[in-house]
Amino acid sequence: MEVSHKRSTLLKKLIIPIAAILVWSSFIFPSQTNAAVINDPQTDYLDMTSPIVLEFDKVIQFDSSLIPTPNVSSGPHHGITLKELGSGNPVAFTLQVMPTNQRKLIITPNPTPPSGSGFVAWDRNKNYILEITNYIVTDTSGAQVLPTLTTPLTYSIGTNFLTFERLMSGAREINYIITDYTPRNILVKSPVRYIEQLNIIHKRQAIAQGNTTESVTNIDLIINDKAIYNSNGDIRYIEVTPKRNGSALQQTKVLDYLNLTPNSGRRTYDFAFTRLPDTTAFDIEIVLYDEAGIAIDTQIVKVPYDSNSTSTIKQKTSYRFAGKTFTLYDLINKPNDLQTLLNENLMRELKVQVVQQ
């Protein structure tokens, strides 16, 4: 899903028909008042921990006949639904009128709905639709805000991510995102690192008792699966590919279905190849993937040419900012931190999302 480059125009298009509906409805329903949603909550790159925010042009409150508990409730709700795009399955959420700004309605999706509740989880890398079909709050006099709508108001919400490379270079999406979010609302996330160490033993071809013995390469991969997203572990499968000058030398070896059973914590996995180059250097590329098939950690280890019969390579990884999140404001305010982040990661490995306030 792409960021809309016409979000401001879309907002104006939304507000005008809403205002027209409300002006017309005031002649039929005298108890209703003109109101409008004055910010556009749809976004393609919303951080999972960020609520969805609807801001009205006046102070709002809950209708006690619909939501008896003041200021907070749990779904489902009258007149408003949050659904997973495609399946149409509902997402449970909590509503709250922001205490410090009573024009804002805070919609907080539930990432872990109760088992058997019929709701699906609010999850990363997913697309959702927020739909409003009826008034969901009132003004302070109790008059309805947003009456029954002939056409529902819909907002698209995505918990996908943008790369830092695309944000700041190339397409330069920053030119468009900055119209809706300040640097303090733009998050830059350094990837969690799962690979702790790689040990490679490469035995070259040799002559023994008049026979040529085959070369053998063993790879021990030490991983710490932190189980941040999945209780059984984040890593679904591992790919190991021997390469030279970026091209595969042999078929990739895959270890799959790792997260079907608990595998969080420190684990060692081993792989083996034969007939890898003896007279030139080559690389071993390791890529870890999550359940969605997204690469979550990558390491490339160079096996140099060595005249000895056996080469041993041990490579430990160390990242100062692994798994940390910064605002764009943090990084432009502290250029040394930005430089460290770029030293430790490729720009395409840094994930960018936004938060609503």
Side-chain angles (χ1 to χ4, degrees):
M1 189 192 306
E2 298 293 331
V3 170
S4 173
H5 294 172
K6 300 181 180 178
R7 187 171 291 146
S8 298
T9 304
L10 174 61
L11 175 57
K12 292 175 183 176
K13 289 181 179 178
L14 284 171
I15 292 177
I16 291 171
I18 293 171
I21 291 171
L22 294 168
V23 170
W24 171 81
S25 66
S26 65
F27 292 104
I28 302 176
F29 307 104
S31 64
Q32 294 171 348
T33 60
N34 294 345
V37 177
I38 61 172
N39 76 333
D40 183 2
Q42 59 188 12
T43 177
D44 299 327
Y45 306 113
L46 188 67
D47 179 72
M48 267 191 63
T49 62
S50 172
I52 303 166
V53 181
L54 288 175
E55 184 173 2
F56 294 82
D57 64 356
K58 59 181 61 183
V59 173
I60 57 172
Q61 64 182 8
F62 286 127
D63 184 337
S64 60
S65 66
L66 297 173
I67 304 177
T69 303
N71 294 332
V72 67
S73 177
S74 58
H77 304 283
H78 165 87
I80 181 171
T81 56
L82 182 62
K83 299 177 182 178
E84 186 181 80
L85 188 64
S87 70
N89 293 324
V91 177
F93 56 89
T94 296
L95 290 177
Q96 182 179 10
V97 175
M98 183 179 285
T100 56
N101 183 349
Q102 294 182 316
R103 297 172 182 264
K104 290 185 177 182
L105 182 66
I106 307 301
I107 303 162
T108 306
N110 187 350
T112 54
S115 178
S117 64
F119 293 105
V120 295
W122 172 254
D123 205 355
R124 61 200 178 103
N125 302 316
K126 293 288 184 70
N127 296 314
Y128 301 91
I129 292 292
L130 179 69
E131 185 175 79
I132 301 173
T133 57
N134 206 339
Y135 79 96
I136 49 179
V137 289
T138 69
D139 65 15
T140 53
S141 70
Q144 295 179 11
V145 171
L146 295 183
T148 302
L149 303 172
T150 305
T151 301
L153 297 179
T154 59
Y155 301 97
S156 61
I157 311 293
T159 56
N160 306 285
F161 63 85
L162 185 69
T163 67
F164 191 70
E165 181 178 45
R166 191 168 162 202
L167 179 76
M168 301 298 288
S169 63
R172 295 179 182 171
E173 296 285 352
I174 186 66
N175 295 328
Y176 308 105
I177 291 181
I178 207 73
T179 63
D180 297 295
Y181 300 97
T182 68
R184 284 186 171 89
N185 301 130
I186 299 172
L187 304 181
V188 180
K189 303 181 179 185
S190 177
V192 175
R193 296 296 181 174
Y194 298 88
I195 300 172
E196 289 190 349
Q197 184 171 331
L198 288 104
N199 299 332
I200 299 175
I201 301 174
H202 178 58
K203 176 199 167 298
R204 292 169 175 78
Q205 285 187 340
I207 303 295
Q209 299 178 7
N211 296 310
T212 301
T213 60
E214 190 57 83
S215 67
V216 179
T217 306
N218 185 85
I219 302 162
D220 283 347
L221 179 60
I222 301 172
I223 292 175
N224 188 358
D225 192 336
K226 298 162 177 67
I228 295 171
Y229 303 112
N230 186 314
S231 58
N232 282 341
D234 302 331
I235 303 165
R236 160 67 187 271
Y237 62 100
I238 302 170
E239 290 185 349
V240 178
T241 310
K243 291 186 172 184
R244 184 168 54 198
N245 299 325
S247 298
L249 291 170
Q250 292 186 22
Q251 185 174 350
T252 297
K253 294 197 174 183
V254 181
L255 187 61
D256 202 350
Y257 307 110
L258 298 179
N259 64 343
L260 294 186
T261 57
N263 68 335
S264 60
R266 203 166 187 261
R267 296 284 187 277
T268 299
Y269 302 100
D270 59 338
F271 300 82
F273 294 88
T274 61
R275 299 187 177 181
L276 292 180
D278 283 342
T279 58
T280 63
F282 61 92
D283 300 326
I284 298 293
E285 180 184 75
I286 297 98
V287 186
L288 278 51
Y289 294 87
D290 67 6
E291 182 68 31
I294 295 175
I296 55 176
D297 200 356
T298 301
Q299 288 289 326
I300 298 176
V301 179
K302 182 171 289 295
V303 180
Y305 168 71
D306 191 336
S307 59
N308 293 323
S309 61
T310 301
S311 297
T312 301
I313 299 98
K314 292 187 177 182
Q315 179 169 305
K316 291 185 177 181
T317 59
S318 178
Y319 295 89
R320 180 183 169 196
F321 288 156
K324 292 191 177 181
T325 297
F326 302 84
T327 68
L328 185 58
Y329 175 84
D330 294 332
L331 296 178
I332 60 178
N333 187 46
K334 295 182 178 180
N336 288 340
D337 284 353
L338 175 58
Q339 188 58 56
T340 299
L341 200 62
L342 295 177
N343 289 342
E344 293 183 350
N345 306 277
L346 298 174
M347 290 180 69
R348 65 174 179 268
E349 292 180 310
L350 300 172
K351 298 179 180 180
V352 178
Q353 292 186 303
V354 297
V355 293
Q356 290 192 309
Q357 294 183 349

